[in-house]
Amino acid sequence: MDECTIWRIRQKYNNLIFPNLPVLIINFLNNHLNYLDLIESKYVKINDILYFLRNKPIKRELDLLDWTIRYIEMKHGIFRKA
């Protein structure tokens, strides 16, 4: 991943509620580059993600990342069994 892509992800997912979310997504992309197009999609907005996460049981950073990736997959029509 180049530095321009990292910068775009940091700018897109920057928020005050979960300030470490961009770092978690970048670390996730280091192992799963096939999600890059989904994460950079213009249809995924940070406000929609925060609204989706408002009542989710998030106790660890891994839970935050898992729920965020699940939202991005659902937004693009990718459904997986729980």
Side-chain angles (χ1 to χ4, degrees), residues 44-59:
V44 177
K45 308 274 192 248
I46 188 65
N47 289 337
D48 295 339
I49 292 173
L50 295 177
Y51 185 77
F52 175 76
L53 294 174
R54 74 188 185 282
N55 292 327
K56 301 297 185 245
I58 299 173
K59 297 183 187 218

Side-chain angles (χ1 to χ4, degrees), residues 24-42:
L24 292 172
I25 291 173
I26 290 168
N27 289 338
F28 174 78
L29 283 175
N30 285 332
N31 297 326
H32 303 90
L33 269 177
N34 54 338
Y35 278 85
L36 182 62
D37 292 336
L38 299 177
I39 288 175
E40 286 191 327
S41 172
K42 65 179 180 180

